[in-house]
PDB file of all heavy atoms in Angstrom:
ATOM      1  N   ARG B 315      -9.731  12.279   5.147  1.00  0.00           N
ATOM      2  CA  ARG B 315     -11.089  12.822   5.189  1.00  0.00           C
ATOM      3  C   ARG B 315     -11.451  13.487   3.856  1.00  0.00           C
ATOM      4  O   ARG B 315     -12.536  13.253   3.312  1.00  0.00           O
ATOM      5  CB  ARG B 315     -11.182  13.846   6.339  1.00  0.00           C
ATOM      6  CG  ARG B 315     -12.525  14.504   6.353  1.00  0.00           C
ATOM      7  CD  ARG B 315     -12.908  15.097   7.664  1.00  0.00           C
ATOM      8  NE  ARG B 315     -14.369  15.226   7.631  1.00  0.00           N
ATOM      9  CZ  ARG B 315     -15.100  15.898   8.474  1.00  0.00           C
ATOM     10  NH1 ARG B 315     -14.522  16.505   9.482  1.00  0.00           N
ATOM     11  NH2 ARG B 315     -16.400  15.955   8.346  1.00  0.00           N
ATOM     12  N   ALA B 316     -10.547  14.303   3.335  1.00  0.00           N
ATOM     13  CA  ALA B 316     -10.819  14.994   2.064  1.00  0.00           C
ATOM     14  C   ALA B 316     -10.935  13.991   0.919  1.00  0.00           C
ATOM     15  O   ALA B 316     -11.809  14.112   0.051  1.00  0.00           O
ATOM     16  CB  ALA B 316      -9.708  16.008   1.785  1.00  0.00           C
ATOM     17  N   LEU B 317     -10.066  12.979   0.916  1.00  0.00           N
ATOM     18  CA  LEU B 317     -10.126  11.975  -0.156  1.00  0.00           C
ATOM     19  C   LEU B 317     -11.442  11.207  -0.112  1.00  0.00           C
ATOM     20  O   LEU B 317     -12.078  10.981  -1.155  1.00  0.00           O
ATOM     21  CB  LEU B 317      -8.946  11.002  -0.054  1.00  0.00           C
ATOM     22  CG  LEU B 317      -8.930   9.918  -1.138  1.00  0.00           C
ATOM     23  CD1 LEU B 317      -8.654  10.527  -2.511  1.00  0.00           C
ATOM     24  CD2 LEU B 317      -7.893   8.836  -0.833  1.00  0.00           C
ATOM     25  N   ALA B 318     -11.857  10.803   1.096  1.00  0.00           N
ATOM     26  CA  ALA B 318     -13.109  10.037   1.218  1.00  0.00           C
ATOM     27  C   ALA B 318     -14.288  10.873   0.723  1.00  0.00           C
ATOM     28  O   ALA B 318     -15.128  10.386  -0.048  1.00  0.00           O
ATOM     29  CB  ALA B 318     -13.324   9.604   2.666  1.00  0.00           C
ATOM     30  N   ASP B 319     -14.351  12.128   1.135  1.00  0.00           N
ATOM     31  CA  ASP B 319     -15.422  13.014   0.682  1.00  0.00           C
ATOM     32  C   ASP B 319     -15.415  13.141  -0.845  1.00  0.00           C
ATOM     33  O   ASP B 319     -16.459  13.074  -1.494  1.00  0.00           O
ATOM     34  CB  ASP B 319     -15.235  14.421   1.266  1.00  0.00           C
ATOM     35  CG  ASP B 319     -15.864  14.545   2.644  1.00  0.00           C
ATOM     36  OD1 ASP B 319     -16.179  13.514   3.251  1.00  0.00           O
ATOM     37  OD2 ASP B 319     -16.022  15.691   3.099  1.00  0.00           O
ATOM     38  N   ALA B 320     -14.224  13.358  -1.399  1.00  0.00           N
ATOM     39  CA  ALA B 320     -14.124  13.584  -2.848  1.00  0.00           C
ATOM     40  C   ALA B 320     -14.556  12.337  -3.613  1.00  0.00           C
ATOM     41  O   ALA B 320     -15.376  12.411  -4.537  1.00  0.00           O
ATOM     42  CB  ALA B 320     -12.699  13.982  -3.224  1.00  0.00           C
ATOM     43  N   LEU B 321     -14.039  11.165  -3.217  1.00  0.00           N
ATOM     44  CA  LEU B 321     -14.383   9.943  -3.958  1.00  0.00           C
ATOM     45  C   LEU B 321     -15.877   9.665  -3.862  1.00  0.00           C
ATOM     46  O   LEU B 321     -16.521   9.301  -4.855  1.00  0.00           O
ATOM     47  CB  LEU B 321     -13.586   8.744  -3.424  1.00  0.00           C
ATOM     48  CG  LEU B 321     -12.081   8.774  -3.713  1.00  0.00           C
ATOM     49  CD1 LEU B 321     -11.416   7.509  -3.172  1.00  0.00           C
ATOM     50  CD2 LEU B 321     -11.795   8.915  -5.206  1.00  0.00           C
ATOM     51  N   SER B 322     -16.424   9.847  -2.674  1.00  0.00           N
ATOM     52  CA  SER B 322     -17.848   9.606  -2.488  1.00  0.00           C
ATOM     53  C   SER B 322     -18.660  10.498  -3.436  1.00  0.00           C
ATOM     54  O   SER B 322     -19.608  10.038  -4.095  1.00  0.00           O
ATOM     55  CB  SER B 322     -18.188   9.882  -1.016  1.00  0.00           C
ATOM     56  OG  SER B 322     -19.524   9.624  -0.761  1.00  0.00           O
ATOM     57  N   ALA B 323     -18.281  11.754  -3.560  1.00  0.00           N
ATOM     58  CA  ALA B 323     -19.009  12.689  -4.429  1.00  0.00           C
ATOM     59  C   ALA B 323     -18.804  12.357  -5.908  1.00  0.00           C
ATOM     60  O   ALA B 323     -19.740  12.463  -6.718  1.00  0.00           O
ATOM     61  CB  ALA B 323     -18.554  14.122  -4.138  1.00  0.00           C
ATOM     62  N   ILE B 324     -17.594  11.944  -6.287  1.00  0.00           N
ATOM     63  CA  ILE B 324     -17.349  11.632  -7.708  1.00  0.00           C
ATOM     64  C   ILE B 324     -18.165  10.405  -8.125  1.00  0.00           C
ATOM     65  O   ILE B 324     -18.820  10.408  -9.167  1.00  0.00           O
ATOM     66  CB  ILE B 324     -15.848  11.404  -7.977  1.00  0.00           C
ATOM     67  CG1 ILE B 324     -15.047  12.670  -7.656  1.00  0.00           C
ATOM     68  CG2 ILE B 324     -15.624  10.996  -9.432  1.00  0.00           C
ATOM     69  CD1 ILE B 324     -13.546  12.438  -7.544  1.00  0.00           C
ATOM     70  N   TYR B 325     -18.112   9.349  -7.323  1.00  0.00           N
ATOM     71  CA  TYR B 325     -18.906   8.154  -7.653  1.00  0.00           C
ATOM     72  C   TYR B 325     -20.378   8.519  -7.855  1.00  0.00           C
ATOM     73  O   TYR B 325     -21.040   8.027  -8.766  1.00  0.00           O
ATOM     74  CB  TYR B 325     -18.804   7.115  -6.537  1.00  0.00           C
ATOM     75  CG  TYR B 325     -17.635   6.170  -6.620  1.00  0.00           C
ATOM     76  CD1 TYR B 325     -16.587   6.246  -5.713  1.00  0.00           C
ATOM     77  CD2 TYR B 325     -17.585   5.173  -7.595  1.00  0.00           C
ATOM     78  CE1 TYR B 325     -15.516   5.367  -5.770  1.00  0.00           C
ATOM     79  CE2 TYR B 325     -16.526   4.287  -7.654  1.00  0.00           C
ATOM     80  CZ  TYR B 325     -15.490   4.382  -6.745  1.00  0.00           C
ATOM     81  OH  TYR B 325     -14.442   3.511  -6.809  1.00  0.00           O
ATOM     82  N   ALA B 326     -20.897   9.395  -6.969  1.00  0.00           N
ATOM     83  CA  ALA B 326     -22.313   9.758  -7.060  1.00  0.00           C
ATOM     84  C   ALA B 326     -22.608  10.530  -8.343  1.00  0.00           C
ATOM     85  O   ALA B 326     -23.730  10.515  -8.846  1.00  0.00           O
ATOM     86  CB  ALA B 326     -22.718  10.576  -5.835  1.00  0.00           C
ATOM     87  N   ASP B 327     -21.590  11.193  -8.891  1.00  0.00           N
ATOM     88  CA  ASP B 327     -21.776  12.031 -10.083  1.00  0.00           C
ATOM     89  C   ASP B 327     -21.713  11.236 -11.390  1.00  0.00           C
ATOM     90  O   ASP B 327     -22.256  11.667 -12.409  1.00  0.00           O
ATOM     91  CB  ASP B 327     -20.674  13.111 -10.074  1.00  0.00           C
ATOM     92  CG  ASP B 327     -20.853  14.154 -11.163  1.00  0.00           C
ATOM     93  OD1 ASP B 327     -22.009  14.579 -11.388  1.00  0.00           O
ATOM     94  OD2 ASP B 327     -19.847  14.529 -11.792  1.00  0.00           O
ATOM     95  N   ILE B 328     -21.063  10.086 -11.385  1.00  0.00           N
ATOM     96  CA  ILE B 328     -20.774   9.355 -12.627  1.00  0.00           C
ATOM     97  C   ILE B 328     -22.034   8.975 -13.428  1.00  0.00           C
ATOM     98  O   ILE B 328     -22.036   9.102 -14.660  1.00  0.00           O
ATOM     99  CB  ILE B 328     -19.893   8.107 -12.339  1.00  0.00           C
ATOM    100  CG1 ILE B 328     -18.509   8.551 -11.828  1.00  0.00           C
ATOM    101  CG2 ILE B 328     -19.737   7.219 -13.581  1.00  0.00           C
ATOM    102  CD1 ILE B 328     -17.731   9.435 -12.766  1.00  0.00           C
ATOM    103  N   PRO B 329     -23.123   8.537 -12.794  1.00  0.00           N
ATOM    104  CA  PRO B 329     -24.308   8.193 -13.586  1.00  0.00           C
ATOM    105  C   PRO B 329     -24.801   9.349 -14.461  1.00  0.00           C
ATOM    106  O   PRO B 329     -25.462   9.123 -15.479  1.00  0.00           O
ATOM    107  CB  PRO B 329     -25.357   7.830 -12.519  1.00  0.00           C
ATOM    108  CG  PRO B 329     -24.553   7.397 -11.338  1.00  0.00           C
ATOM    109  CD  PRO B 329     -23.320   8.248 -11.356  1.00  0.00           C
ATOM    110  N   ASN B 330     -24.473  10.590 -14.111  1.00  0.00           N
ATOM    111  CA  ASN B 330     -24.862  11.741 -14.934  1.00  0.00           C
ATOM    112  C   ASN B 330     -24.240  11.720 -16.324  1.00  0.00           C
ATOM    113  O   ASN B 330     -24.656  12.477 -17.198  1.00  0.00           O
ATOM    114  CB  ASN B 330     -24.478  13.059 -14.240  1.00  0.00           C
ATOM    115  CG  ASN B 330     -25.224  13.233 -12.934  1.00  0.00           C
ATOM    116  OD1 ASN B 330     -26.362  12.779 -12.812  1.00  0.00           O
ATOM    117  ND2 ASN B 330     -24.590  13.867 -11.956  1.00  0.00           N
ATOM    118  N   TYR B 331     -23.204  10.888 -16.525  1.00  0.00           N
ATOM    119  CA  TYR B 331     -22.532  10.859 -17.818  1.00  0.00           C
ATOM    120  C   TYR B 331     -22.977   9.669 -18.658  1.00  0.00           C
ATOM    121  O   TYR B 331     -22.361   9.359 -19.674  1.00  0.00           O
ATOM    122  CB  TYR B 331     -21.009  10.886 -17.626  1.00  0.00           C
ATOM    123  CG  TYR B 331     -20.602  12.096 -16.830  1.00  0.00           C
ATOM    124  CD1 TYR B 331     -20.462  12.028 -15.439  1.00  0.00           C
ATOM    125  CD2 TYR B 331     -20.462  13.336 -17.452  1.00  0.00           C
ATOM    126  CE1 TYR B 331     -20.158  13.152 -14.695  1.00  0.00           C
ATOM    127  CE2 TYR B 331     -20.158  14.470 -16.707  1.00  0.00           C
ATOM    128  CZ  TYR B 331     -20.011  14.368 -15.341  1.00  0.00           C
ATOM    129  OH  TYR B 331     -19.719  15.480 -14.609  1.00  0.00           O
ATOM    130  N   GLY B 332     -24.059   9.004 -18.234  1.00  0.00           N
ATOM    131  CA  GLY B 332     -24.637   7.967 -19.081  1.00  0.00           C
ATOM    132  C   GLY B 332     -24.042   6.589 -18.843  1.00  0.00           C
ATOM    133  O   GLY B 332     -23.092   6.421 -18.093  1.00  0.00           O
ATOM    134  N   GLU B 333     -24.620   5.598 -19.555  1.00  0.00           N
ATOM    135  CA  GLU B 333     -24.291   4.201 -19.261  1.00  0.00           C
ATOM    136  C   GLU B 333     -22.884   3.813 -19.705  1.00  0.00           C
ATOM    137  O   GLU B 333     -22.369   2.764 -19.299  1.00  0.00           O
ATOM    138  CB  GLU B 333     -25.326   3.266 -19.919  1.00  0.00           C
ATOM    139  CG  GLU B 333     -25.357   3.391 -21.423  1.00  0.00           C
ATOM    140  CD  GLU B 333     -26.031   2.167 -22.101  1.00  0.00           C
ATOM    141  OE1 GLU B 333     -25.942   1.053 -21.564  1.00  0.00           O
ATOM    142  OE2 GLU B 333     -26.613   2.360 -23.175  1.00  0.00           O
ATOM    143  N   TRP B 334     -22.217   4.621 -20.555  1.00  0.00           N
ATOM    144  CA  TRP B 334     -20.894   4.226 -21.048  1.00  0.00           C
ATOM    145  C   TRP B 334     -19.756   4.816 -20.225  1.00  0.00           C
ATOM    146  O   TRP B 334     -18.588   4.515 -20.464  1.00  0.00           O
ATOM    147  CB  TRP B 334     -20.742   4.600 -22.524  1.00  0.00           C
ATOM    148  CG  TRP B 334     -21.698   3.823 -23.367  1.00  0.00           C
ATOM    149  CD1 TRP B 334     -22.858   4.277 -23.910  1.00  0.00           C
ATOM    150  CD2 TRP B 334     -21.604   2.429 -23.705  1.00  0.00           C
ATOM    151  NE1 TRP B 334     -23.502   3.268 -24.589  1.00  0.00           N
ATOM    152  CE2 TRP B 334     -22.749   2.126 -24.479  1.00  0.00           C
ATOM    153  CE3 TRP B 334     -20.668   1.421 -23.444  1.00  0.00           C
ATOM    154  CZ2 TRP B 334     -22.975   0.842 -24.979  1.00  0.00           C
ATOM    155  CZ3 TRP B 334     -20.890   0.141 -23.948  1.00  0.00           C
ATOM    156  CH2 TRP B 334     -22.037  -0.128 -24.703  1.00  0.00           C
ATOM    157  N   ALA B 335     -20.099   5.660 -19.255  1.00  0.00           N
ATOM    158  CA  ALA B 335     -19.042   6.276 -18.443  1.00  0.00           C
ATOM    159  C   ALA B 335     -18.471   5.258 -17.460  1.00  0.00           C
ATOM    160  O   ALA B 335     -19.193   4.450 -16.890  1.00  0.00           O
ATOM    161  CB  ALA B 335     -19.602   7.472 -17.689  1.00  0.00           C
ATOM    162  N   ARG B 336     -17.151   5.311 -17.271  1.00  0.00           N
ATOM    163  CA  ARG B 336     -16.468   4.400 -16.342  1.00  0.00           C
ATOM    164  C   ARG B 336     -15.553   5.208 -15.432  1.00  0.00           C
ATOM    165  O   ARG B 336     -14.786   6.052 -15.907  1.00  0.00           O
ATOM    166  CB  ARG B 336     -15.598   3.397 -17.106  1.00  0.00           C
ATOM    167  CG  ARG B 336     -16.306   2.626 -18.196  1.00  0.00           C
ATOM    168  CD  ARG B 336     -17.079   1.443 -17.661  1.00  0.00           C
ATOM    169  NE  ARG B 336     -17.702   0.704 -18.749  1.00  0.00           N
ATOM    170  CZ  ARG B 336     -18.947   0.909 -19.180  1.00  0.00           C
ATOM    171  NH1 ARG B 336     -19.715   1.827 -18.626  1.00  0.00           N
ATOM    172  NH2 ARG B 336     -19.437   0.188 -20.173  1.00  0.00           N
ATOM    173  N   PHE B 337     -15.615   4.889 -14.127  1.00  0.00           N
ATOM    174  CA  PHE B 337     -14.741   5.542 -13.145  1.00  0.00           C
ATOM    175  C   PHE B 337     -14.237   4.472 -12.185  1.00  0.00           C
ATOM    176  O   PHE B 337     -15.039   3.793 -11.536  1.00  0.00           O
ATOM    177  CB  PHE B 337     -15.511   6.627 -12.377  1.00  0.00           C
ATOM    178  CG  PHE B 337     -14.712   7.264 -11.267  1.00  0.00           C
ATOM    179  CD1 PHE B 337     -13.793   8.276 -11.548  1.00  0.00           C
ATOM    180  CD2 PHE B 337     -14.852   6.843  -9.947  1.00  0.00           C
ATOM    181  CE1 PHE B 337     -13.040   8.852 -10.526  1.00  0.00           C
ATOM    182  CE2 PHE B 337     -14.112   7.418  -8.928  1.00  0.00           C
ATOM    183  CZ  PHE B 337     -13.205   8.425  -9.220  1.00  0.00           C
ATOM    184  N   THR B 338     -12.923   4.311 -12.104  1.00  0.00           N
ATOM    185  CA  THR B 338     -12.332   3.232 -11.293  1.00  0.00           C
ATOM    186  C   THR B 338     -11.177   3.765 -10.456  1.00  0.00           C
ATOM    187  O   THR B 338     -10.322   4.483 -10.964  1.00  0.00           O
ATOM    188  CB  THR B 338     -11.796   2.108 -12.211  1.00  0.00           C
ATOM    189  OG1 THR B 338     -12.857   1.667 -13.061  1.00  0.00           O
ATOM    190  CG2 THR B 338     -11.249   0.944 -11.392  1.00  0.00           C
ATOM    191  N   VAL B 339     -11.175   3.399  -9.168  1.00  0.00           N
ATOM    192  CA  VAL B 339     -10.027   3.650  -8.296  1.00  0.00           C
ATOM    193  C   VAL B 339      -9.379   2.291  -8.042  1.00  0.00           C
ATOM    194  O   VAL B 339      -9.918   1.474  -7.295  1.00  0.00           O
ATOM    195  CB  VAL B 339     -10.456   4.307  -6.972  1.00  0.00           C
ATOM    196  CG1 VAL B 339      -9.266   4.457  -6.038  1.00  0.00           C
ATOM    197  CG2 VAL B 339     -11.098   5.661  -7.251  1.00  0.00           C
ATOM    198  N   GLY B 340      -8.257   2.047  -8.695  1.00  0.00           N
ATOM    199  CA  GLY B 340      -7.641   0.715  -8.634  1.00  0.00           C
ATOM    200  C   GLY B 340      -6.689   0.532  -7.474  1.00  0.00           C
ATOM    201  O   GLY B 340      -6.460  -0.581  -7.018  1.00  0.00           O
TER     202      GLY B 340
END
Side-chain angles (χ1 to χ4, degrees):
Chain B
R315 176 158 201 192
L317 180 68
D319 274 15
L321 291 182
S322 182
I324 298 165
Y325 273 110
D327 187 42
I328 295 301
N330 297 328
Y331 303 93
E333 61 161 329
W334 295 103
R336 307 278 182 267
F337 175 81
T338 305
V339 176

